[in-house]
Amino acid sequence: MSPPALEHHSDDHISVRGEPFRVYIDRDRLARRVEALGEQISQDYEGLRPILIGVLNGAYIFLADLMRAIRIDCEVDFMKLSSYGAEQISSGTVRSLKEIDADIEGRHVIIVEDIVDTGLSMQYILDALSHEQPASMQVATMLHKAAATKVDLELRYVGFEIDNLFVVGYGLDYGQVGRNLKDIFILDRE
Ligand code: IMP
């Protein structure tokens, strides 16, 4: 029989699909940073009723926490892009699997992502949504792998700049495994 897809060896060491991962950003640090981002957005968008557009599937946990950390009036909608499948390396090809329902013309849009890696997904989203003529458009991403980003993007709200290694947890998956982990874990090849 094959081993379980998710194995806990200790509080901070796990295996996902047979690969070792260790805690990288724990739940308390995540929570504090999300609160700070929510506060910053509340100040920047006072009176503007922004619409948060979550990118499925990975962003839903970050989005749920971020939205509750925002104290001003705001709305939510979702879009979905094709994913890498079970690969750790970005394929670089992006397709839309679900478009937003909201009419964003003249609205203040905040795109909410789990991670910006190569940046190709975000570039695709910014390009697609700009055709709908929002009043403004900014990005909130929980994580940014700056060393992997190939395109020039303005990322207004960044949770953490991280090393260029594969991460799972807090919504991020490895072949659909690990999204439910409360901490963010990083591949541990030591
Ligand atoms: P990009 O287009 O290369 O920037 O990749 C964006 C998407 O790839 C993210 O929304 C994630 O779904 C996925 N991704 C990139 N890096 C990781 C990672 O380290 N762990 C899990 N998913 C990742």
Side-chain angles (χ1 to χ4, degrees), residues 59-113:
Y60 75 108
I61 292 182
F62 171 47
L63 174 64
D65 287 343
L66 181 66
M67 194 163 180
R68 283 175 292 183
I70 295 175
R71 30 171 196 79
I72 57 164
D73 191 13
C74 58
E75 294 178 30
V76 71
D77 198 0
F78 293 94
M79 63 190 297
K80 184 166 184 168
L81 302 182
S82 56
S83 73
Y84 303 1
E87 304 301 314
Q88 291 179 1
I89 305 293
S90 184
S91 64
T93 43
V94 186
R95 268 184 321 123
S96 171
L97 298 178
K98 179 207 175 300
E99 304 199 345
I100 54 170
D101 297 317
D103 178 4
I104 58 166
E105 186 177 342
R107 300 291 307 272
H108 295 279
V109 168
I110 305 173
I111 301 160
V112 181
E113 250 294 25

Short mmCIF file of all heavy atoms in Angstrom, two decimals, residues 59-113:
data_model
loop_
_atom_site.label_atom_id
_atom_site.label_comp_id
_atom_site.label_asym_id
_atom_site.label_seq_id
_atom_site.Cartn_x
_atom_site.Cartn_y
_atom_site.Cartn_z
N ALA A 59 -6.26 30.72 -2.58
CA ALA A 59 -6.37 31.96 -1.79
C ALA A 59 -7.51 31.95 -0.79
O ALA A 59 -7.64 32.89 -0.01
CB ALA A 59 -6.52 33.15 -2.73
N TYR A 60 -8.33 30.90 -0.76
CA TYR A 60 -9.57 31.03 0.00
C TYR A 60 -9.37 31.16 1.51
O TYR A 60 -10.13 31.84 2.18
CB TYR A 60 -10.56 29.89 -0.33
CG TYR A 60 -10.22 28.55 0.27
CD1 TYR A 60 -10.97 28.03 1.31
CD2 TYR A 60 -9.16 27.80 -0.20
CE1 TYR A 60 -10.67 26.79 1.86
CE2 TYR A 60 -8.84 26.57 0.34
CZ TYR A 60 -9.60 26.07 1.38
OH TYR A 60 -9.28 24.86 1.92
N ILE A 61 -8.34 30.55 2.06
CA ILE A 61 -8.14 30.64 3.51
C ILE A 61 -7.57 32.01 3.88
O ILE A 61 -8.05 32.68 4.79
CB ILE A 61 -7.26 29.48 4.01
CG1 ILE A 61 -8.06 28.18 3.86
CG2 ILE A 61 -6.80 29.71 5.45
CD1 ILE A 61 -7.37 26.93 4.34
N PHE A 62 -6.58 32.44 3.14
CA PHE A 62 -6.03 33.79 3.34
C PHE A 62 -7.13 34.83 3.16
O PHE A 62 -7.28 35.75 3.96
CB PHE A 62 -4.89 34.01 2.35
CG PHE A 62 -4.35 35.41 2.28
CD1 PHE A 62 -4.04 36.11 3.44
CD2 PHE A 62 -4.13 36.02 1.04
CE1 PHE A 62 -3.52 37.41 3.37
CE2 PHE A 62 -3.62 37.31 0.97
CZ PHE A 62 -3.33 38.01 2.13
N LEU A 63 -7.93 34.68 2.12
CA LEU A 63 -9.01 35.64 1.84
C LEU A 63 -10.01 35.69 3.00
O LEU A 63 -10.44 36.76 3.42
CB LEU A 63 -9.71 35.27 0.54
CG LEU A 63 -10.95 36.10 0.19
CD1 LEU A 63 -10.59 37.55 -0.03
CD2 LEU A 63 -11.62 35.55 -1.05
N ALA A 64 -10.37 34.53 3.52
CA ALA A 64 -11.35 34.49 4.61
C ALA A 64 -10.81 35.22 5.84
O ALA A 64 -11.54 35.96 6.50
CB ALA A 64 -11.67 33.04 4.96
N ASP A 65 -9.53 35.04 6.13
CA ASP A 65 -8.94 35.72 7.29
C ASP A 65 -8.74 37.21 7.00
O ASP A 65 -9.00 38.06 7.85
CB ASP A 65 -7.60 35.07 7.67
CG ASP A 65 -7.81 33.71 8.34
OD1 ASP A 65 -8.94 33.43 8.79
OD2 ASP A 65 -6.83 32.94 8.40
N LEU A 66 -8.26 37.53 5.79
CA LEU A 66 -8.00 38.93 5.44
C LEU A 66 -9.30 39.73 5.47
O LEU A 66 -9.34 40.83 6.01
CB LEU A 66 -7.37 39.00 4.04
CG LEU A 66 -7.03 40.41 3.55
CD1 LEU A 66 -5.91 41.03 4.41
CD2 LEU A 66 -6.61 40.40 2.08
N MET A 67 -10.37 39.15 4.94
CA MET A 67 -11.63 39.89 4.88
C MET A 67 -12.15 40.20 6.29
O MET A 67 -12.68 41.28 6.54
CB MET A 67 -12.66 39.09 4.08
CG MET A 67 -13.86 39.93 3.70
SD MET A 67 -14.78 39.16 2.41
CE MET A 67 -16.09 40.38 2.21
N ARG A 68 -11.94 39.27 7.22
CA ARG A 68 -12.38 39.52 8.59
C ARG A 68 -11.47 40.48 9.33
O ARG A 68 -11.83 41.01 10.38
CB ARG A 68 -12.53 38.20 9.35
CG ARG A 68 -13.80 37.47 8.95
CD ARG A 68 -13.90 36.12 9.58
NE ARG A 68 -12.86 35.23 9.04
CZ ARG A 68 -12.75 33.95 9.38
NH1 ARG A 68 -13.58 33.43 10.25
NH2 ARG A 68 -11.81 33.20 8.83
N ALA A 69 -10.26 40.70 8.78
CA ALA A 69 -9.35 41.67 9.39
C ALA A 69 -9.59 43.08 8.84
O ALA A 69 -9.00 44.05 9.33
CB ALA A 69 -7.90 41.25 9.13
N ILE A 70 -10.44 43.18 7.82
CA ILE A 70 -10.76 44.50 7.24
C ILE A 70 -11.99 45.02 7.97
O ILE A 70 -13.00 44.32 8.07
CB ILE A 70 -11.02 44.35 5.72
CG1 ILE A 70 -9.74 43.91 5.02
CG2 ILE A 70 -11.56 45.65 5.14
CD1 ILE A 70 -9.90 43.62 3.53
N ARG A 71 -11.90 46.27 8.49
CA ARG A 71 -13.04 46.75 9.27
C ARG A 71 -13.96 47.68 8.50
O ARG A 71 -14.96 48.13 9.01
CB ARG A 71 -12.62 47.38 10.61
CG ARG A 71 -11.33 48.01 10.61
CD ARG A 71 -10.97 48.80 11.83
NE ARG A 71 -9.84 49.59 11.43
CZ ARG A 71 -9.93 50.71 10.72
NH1 ARG A 71 -11.08 51.22 10.42
NH2 ARG A 71 -8.83 51.33 10.33
N ILE A 72 -13.66 47.95 7.22
CA ILE A 72 -14.56 48.80 6.43
C ILE A 72 -15.46 47.91 5.57
O ILE A 72 -15.22 46.71 5.42
CB ILE A 72 -13.75 49.76 5.52
CG1 ILE A 72 -12.81 48.96 4.61
CG2 ILE A 72 -12.98 50.76 6.37
CD1 ILE A 72 -12.28 49.71 3.45
N ASP A 73 -16.48 48.52 4.99
CA ASP A 73 -17.40 47.83 4.10
C ASP A 73 -16.64 47.29 2.88
O ASP A 73 -15.87 48.03 2.25
CB ASP A 73 -18.45 48.87 3.67
CG ASP A 73 -19.61 48.27 2.96
OD1 ASP A 73 -19.75 47.03 3.01
OD2 ASP A 73 -20.38 49.03 2.36
N CYS A 74 -16.82 46.01 2.56
CA CYS A 74 -16.15 45.45 1.38
C CYS A 74 -16.97 44.28 0.85
O CYS A 74 -17.84 43.75 1.54
CB CYS A 74 -14.72 45.02 1.70
SG CYS A 74 -14.57 43.82 3.02
N GLU A 75 -16.68 43.88 -0.39
CA GLU A 75 -17.40 42.76 -1.02
C GLU A 75 -16.39 41.71 -1.46
O GLU A 75 -15.19 41.94 -1.45
CB GLU A 75 -18.15 43.26 -2.26
CG GLU A 75 -19.27 44.23 -1.95
CD GLU A 75 -19.95 44.72 -3.23
OE1 GLU A 75 -19.98 43.98 -4.23
OE2 GLU A 75 -20.43 45.86 -3.20
N VAL A 76 -16.91 40.57 -1.90
CA VAL A 76 -16.02 39.50 -2.35
C VAL A 76 -16.56 38.84 -3.62
O VAL A 76 -17.76 38.79 -3.84
CB VAL A 76 -15.83 38.45 -1.23
CG1 VAL A 76 -17.09 37.62 -0.99
CG2 VAL A 76 -14.65 37.52 -1.51
N ASP A 77 -15.65 38.38 -4.44
CA ASP A 77 -16.00 37.54 -5.59
C ASP A 77 -14.79 36.64 -5.86
O ASP A 77 -13.74 36.81 -5.24
CB ASP A 77 -16.34 38.41 -6.82
CG ASP A 77 -17.12 37.63 -7.87
OD1 ASP A 77 -17.41 36.44 -7.64
OD2 ASP A 77 -17.43 38.21 -8.91
N PHE A 78 -14.97 35.68 -6.76
CA PHE A 78 -13.89 34.70 -7.00
C PHE A 78 -13.65 34.47 -8.47
O PHE A 78 -14.56 34.57 -9.29
CB PHE A 78 -14.28 33.35 -6.37
CG PHE A 78 -14.33 33.38 -4.88
CD1 PHE A 78 -15.52 33.63 -4.23
CD2 PHE A 78 -13.18 33.20 -4.13
CE1 PHE A 78 -15.58 33.68 -2.84
CE2 PHE A 78 -13.23 33.25 -2.75
CZ PHE A 78 -14.42 33.49 -2.10
N MET A 79 -12.42 34.14 -8.78
CA MET A 79 -12.10 33.63 -10.11
C MET A 79 -11.22 32.39 -9.94
O MET A 79 -10.67 32.16 -8.87
CB MET A 79 -11.40 34.68 -10.97
CG MET A 79 -10.08 35.14 -10.46
SD MET A 79 -9.48 36.59 -11.38
CE MET A 79 -9.31 35.91 -13.01
N LYS A 80 -11.14 31.61 -10.99
CA LYS A 80 -10.33 30.39 -10.89
C LYS A 80 -9.47 30.23 -12.13
O LYS A 80 -9.95 30.40 -13.25
CB LYS A 80 -11.24 29.18 -10.73
CG LYS A 80 -10.48 27.89 -10.51
CD LYS A 80 -11.38 26.78 -10.04
CE LYS A 80 -10.53 25.55 -9.75
NZ LYS A 80 -11.27 24.54 -9.03
N LEU A 81 -8.20 29.93 -11.89
CA LEU A 81 -7.27 29.67 -13.00
C LEU A 81 -6.87 28.21 -12.98
O LEU A 81 -7.00 27.54 -11.97
CB LEU A 81 -6.01 30.53 -12.84
CG LEU A 81 -6.18 32.04 -12.77
CD1 LEU A 81 -4.81 32.71 -12.67
CD2 LEU A 81 -6.92 32.57 -13.98
N SER A 82 -6.34 27.75 -14.10
CA SER A 82 -5.82 26.38 -14.14
C SER A 82 -4.59 26.32 -13.23
O SER A 82 -3.88 27.29 -13.06
CB SER A 82 -5.41 26.03 -15.56
OG SER A 82 -4.49 26.99 -16.03
N SER A 83 -4.35 25.16 -12.62
CA SER A 83 -3.21 25.04 -11.69
C SER A 83 -2.10 24.21 -12.34
O SER A 83 -2.21 23.78 -13.46
CB SER A 83 -3.67 24.39 -10.40
OG SER A 83 -3.89 23.02 -10.64
N TYR A 84 -1.03 24.01 -11.56
CA TYR A 84 0.11 23.23 -12.07
C TYR A 84 -0.19 21.73 -12.12
O TYR A 84 0.64 20.97 -12.55
CB TYR A 84 1.30 23.30 -11.12
CG TYR A 84 1.87 24.63 -10.77
CD1 TYR A 84 1.36 25.81 -11.24
CD2 TYR A 84 2.99 24.66 -9.96
CE1 TYR A 84 1.94 27.01 -10.89
CE2 TYR A 84 3.58 25.85 -9.60
CZ TYR A 84 3.04 27.03 -10.07
OH TYR A 84 3.64 28.19 -9.71
N GLY A 85 -1.28 21.29 -11.53
CA GLY A 85 -1.45 19.86 -11.30
C GLY A 85 -0.60 19.49 -10.10
O GLY A 85 -0.52 20.25 -9.14
N ALA A 86 0.07 18.38 -10.13
CA ALA A 86 0.85 17.95 -8.97
C ALA A 86 2.33 18.29 -9.10
O ALA A 86 3.18 17.70 -8.47
CB ALA A 86 0.66 16.46 -8.74
N GLU A 87 2.65 19.30 -9.92
CA GLU A 87 4.05 19.66 -10.11
C GLU A 87 4.49 20.71 -9.11
O GLU A 87 3.68 21.46 -8.59
CB GLU A 87 4.26 20.22 -11.53
CG GLU A 87 3.81 19.30 -12.64
CD GLU A 87 4.53 17.97 -12.60
OE1 GLU A 87 5.76 18.00 -12.44
OE2 GLU A 87 3.87 16.94 -12.71
N GLN A 88 5.82 20.79 -8.87
CA GLN A 88 6.32 21.84 -7.99
C GLN A 88 6.83 23.03 -8.80
O GLN A 88 7.15 24.07 -8.25
CB GLN A 88 7.46 21.30 -7.12
CG GLN A 88 6.99 20.30 -6.09
CD GLN A 88 8.13 19.77 -5.26
OE1 GLN A 88 9.29 20.15 -5.43
NE2 GLN A 88 7.83 18.87 -4.36
N ILE A 89 6.92 22.88 -10.08
CA ILE A 89 7.45 23.95 -10.93
C ILE A 89 6.31 24.53 -11.76
O ILE A 89 5.52 23.79 -12.34
CB ILE A 89 8.53 23.40 -11.90
CG1 ILE A 89 9.63 22.67 -11.13
CG2 ILE A 89 9.11 24.51 -12.76
CD1 ILE A 89 10.49 23.54 -10.25
N SER A 90 6.25 25.86 -11.81
CA SER A 90 5.19 26.52 -12.56
C SER A 90 5.30 26.18 -14.03
O SER A 90 6.37 26.26 -14.62
CB SER A 90 5.32 28.04 -12.37
OG SER A 90 4.27 28.68 -13.01
N SER A 91 4.17 25.78 -14.62
CA SER A 91 4.19 25.40 -16.04
C SER A 91 4.24 26.64 -16.93
O SER A 91 4.64 26.56 -18.09
CB SER A 91 2.95 24.59 -16.38
OG SER A 91 1.81 25.40 -16.20
N GLY A 92 3.83 27.77 -16.38
CA GLY A 92 3.88 29.01 -17.16
C GLY A 92 2.70 29.21 -18.09
O GLY A 92 2.57 30.25 -18.70
N THR A 93 1.85 28.20 -18.21
CA THR A 93 0.65 28.40 -19.04
C THR A 93 -0.54 28.61 -18.12
O THR A 93 -0.75 27.86 -17.18
CB THR A 93 0.38 27.19 -19.95
OG1 THR A 93 0.58 26.01 -19.18
CG2 THR A 93 1.27 27.18 -21.15
N VAL A 94 -1.31 29.64 -18.38
CA VAL A 94 -2.42 30.01 -17.52
C VAL A 94 -3.71 30.00 -18.34
O VAL A 94 -3.74 30.50 -19.46
CB VAL A 94 -2.21 31.43 -16.95
CG1 VAL A 94 -3.28 31.77 -15.95
CG2 VAL A 94 -0.83 31.55 -16.32
N ARG A 95 -4.75 29.40 -17.77
CA ARG A 95 -6.07 29.39 -18.41
C ARG A 95 -7.10 29.79 -17.38
O ARG A 95 -6.96 29.48 -16.21
CB ARG A 95 -6.43 27.97 -18.88
CG ARG A 95 -6.04 27.66 -20.30
CD ARG A 95 -6.50 26.27 -20.71
NE ARG A 95 -6.38 25.27 -19.68
CZ ARG A 95 -7.41 24.54 -19.23
NH1 ARG A 95 -8.63 24.72 -19.68
NH2 ARG A 95 -7.22 23.60 -18.30
N SER A 96 -8.17 30.41 -17.82
CA SER A 96 -9.24 30.77 -16.89
C SER A 96 -10.24 29.63 -16.83
O SER A 96 -10.72 29.15 -17.85
CB SER A 96 -9.92 32.05 -17.38
OG SER A 96 -11.07 32.28 -16.60
N LEU A 97 -10.56 29.17 -15.60
CA LEU A 97 -11.55 28.10 -15.43
C LEU A 97 -12.87 28.66 -14.90
O LEU A 97 -13.91 28.04 -15.04
CB LEU A 97 -11.02 27.05 -14.45
CG LEU A 97 -9.75 26.32 -14.86
CD1 LEU A 97 -9.32 25.35 -13.77
CD2 LEU A 97 -9.94 25.59 -16.17
N LYS A 98 -12.80 29.83 -14.24
CA LYS A 98 -14.03 30.48 -13.77
C LYS A 98 -13.78 31.98 -13.76
O LYS A 98 -12.80 32.44 -13.20
CB LYS A 98 -14.38 30.02 -12.34
CG LYS A 98 -15.63 30.69 -11.80
CD LYS A 98 -15.64 30.79 -10.28
CE LYS A 98 -16.82 31.57 -9.75
NZ LYS A 98 -16.95 32.96 -10.21
N GLU A 99 -14.71 32.74 -14.36
CA GLU A 99 -14.56 34.19 -14.38
C GLU A 99 -15.38 34.80 -13.25
O GLU A 99 -16.23 34.13 -12.66
CB GLU A 99 -15.01 34.70 -15.74
CG GLU A 99 -14.21 33.99 -16.82
CD GLU A 99 -14.19 34.67 -18.16
OE1 GLU A 99 -15.02 35.56 -18.37
OE2 GLU A 99 -13.34 34.29 -18.97
N ILE A 100 -15.11 36.06 -12.94
CA ILE A 100 -15.87 36.71 -11.86
C ILE A 100 -17.31 36.97 -12.31
O ILE A 100 -17.60 37.07 -13.50
CB ILE A 100 -15.22 38.05 -11.42
CG1 ILE A 100 -15.00 38.98 -12.62
CG2 ILE A 100 -13.92 37.79 -10.70
CD1 ILE A 100 -14.61 40.38 -12.22
N ASP A 101 -18.20 37.03 -11.32
CA ASP A 101 -19.62 37.34 -11.61
C ASP A 101 -19.88 38.84 -11.48
O ASP A 101 -20.77 39.37 -12.14
CB ASP A 101 -20.53 36.61 -10.61
CG ASP A 101 -20.39 35.10 -10.75
OD1 ASP A 101 -20.35 34.63 -11.90
OD2 ASP A 101 -20.30 34.41 -9.71
N ALA A 102 -19.15 39.50 -10.60
CA ALA A 102 -19.42 40.92 -10.30
C ALA A 102 -19.10 41.81 -11.49
O ALA A 102 -18.21 41.50 -12.30
CB ALA A 102 -18.58 41.34 -9.10
N ASP A 103 -19.79 42.92 -11.56
CA ASP A 103 -19.47 43.96 -12.52
C ASP A 103 -18.47 44.89 -11.83
O ASP A 103 -18.83 45.57 -10.85
CB ASP A 103 -20.76 44.72 -12.89
CG ASP A 103 -20.49 45.85 -13.86
OD1 ASP A 103 -19.32 46.01 -14.30
OD2 ASP A 103 -21.44 46.60 -14.16
N ILE A 104 -17.24 44.92 -12.29
CA ILE A 104 -16.21 45.70 -11.58
C ILE A 104 -15.91 47.04 -12.23
O ILE A 104 -15.02 47.76 -11.80
CB ILE A 104 -14.90 44.89 -11.40
CG1 ILE A 104 -14.34 44.44 -12.75
CG2 ILE A 104 -15.11 43.72 -10.46
CD1 ILE A 104 -12.90 43.95 -12.67
N GLU A 105 -16.67 47.39 -13.25
CA GLU A 105 -16.44 48.69 -13.90
C GLU A 105 -16.61 49.80 -12.85
O GLU A 105 -17.63 49.85 -12.15
CB GLU A 105 -17.43 48.90 -15.05
CG GLU A 105 -17.09 50.17 -15.82
CD GLU A 105 -17.98 50.40 -17.02
OE1 GLU A 105 -18.65 49.45 -17.47
OE2 GLU A 105 -18.03 51.55 -17.48
N GLY A 106 -15.61 50.65 -12.74
CA GLY A 106 -15.68 51.77 -11.79
C GLY A 106 -15.47 51.37 -10.33
O GLY A 106 -15.56 52.22 -9.45
N ARG A 107 -15.18 50.09 -10.07
CA ARG A 107 -15.00 49.63 -8.69
C ARG A 107 -13.52 49.60 -8.30
O ARG A 107 -12.65 49.50 -9.16
CB ARG A 107 -15.58 48.22 -8.51
CG ARG A 107 -17.06 48.09 -8.82
CD ARG A 107 -17.90 48.81 -7.78
NE ARG A 107 -17.59 48.41 -6.42
CZ ARG A 107 -18.16 47.38 -5.78
NH1 ARG A 107 -19.07 46.65 -6.37
NH2 ARG A 107 -17.82 47.10 -4.53
N HIS A 108 -13.29 49.60 -6.99
CA HIS A 108 -11.92 49.47 -6.48
C HIS A 108 -11.67 48.00 -6.18
O HIS A 108 -12.29 47.43 -5.27
CB HIS A 108 -11.74 50.35 -5.25
CG HIS A 108 -11.86 51.81 -5.58
ND1 HIS A 108 -10.81 52.52 -6.11
CD2 HIS A 108 -12.92 52.66 -5.51
CE1 HIS A 108 -11.21 53.76 -6.34
NE2 HIS A 108 -12.48 53.88 -5.99
N VAL A 109 -10.79 47.40 -6.95
CA VAL A 109 -10.57 45.95 -6.92
C VAL A 109 -9.27 45.62 -6.19
O VAL A 109 -8.25 46.27 -6.41
CB VAL A 109 -10.51 45.40 -8.37
CG1 VAL A 109 -9.99 43.97 -8.40
CG2 VAL A 109 -11.88 45.51 -9.04
N ILE A 110 -9.34 44.63 -5.31
CA ILE A 110 -8.12 44.08 -4.70
C ILE A 110 -8.09 42.59 -5.05
O ILE A 110 -8.96 41.82 -4.63
CB ILE A 110 -8.09 44.26 -3.17
CG1 ILE A 110 -8.28 45.73 -2.79
CG2 ILE A 110 -6.79 43.71 -2.59
CD1 ILE A 110 -8.44 45.98 -1.29
N ILE A 111 -7.11 42.20 -5.84
CA ILE A 111 -6.97 40.78 -6.19
C ILE A 111 -6.24 40.09 -5.04
O ILE A 111 -5.19 40.55 -4.59
CB ILE A 111 -6.18 40.63 -7.50
CG1 ILE A 111 -6.89 41.36 -8.63
CG2 ILE A 111 -5.99 39.15 -7.86
CD1 ILE A 111 -5.99 41.68 -9.79
N VAL A 112 -6.81 39.00 -4.56
CA VAL A 112 -6.23 38.31 -3.40
C VAL A 112 -5.70 36.95 -3.83
O VAL A 112 -6.47 36.08 -4.27
CB VAL A 112 -7.27 38.16 -2.27
CG1 VAL A 112 -6.65 37.47 -1.06
CG2 VAL A 112 -7.83 39.52 -1.87
N GLU A 113 -4.38 36.78 -3.73
CA GLU A 113 -3.70 35.55 -4.15
C GLU A 113 -3.01 34.89 -2.96
O GLU A 113 -2.66 35.56 -1.99
CB GLU A 113 -2.64 35.88 -5.20
CG GLU A 113 -2.92 35.42 -6.60
CD GLU A 113 -2.94 33.92 -6.82
OE1 GLU A 113 -3.20 33.13 -5.90
OE2 GLU A 113 -2.71 33.53 -7.97
#
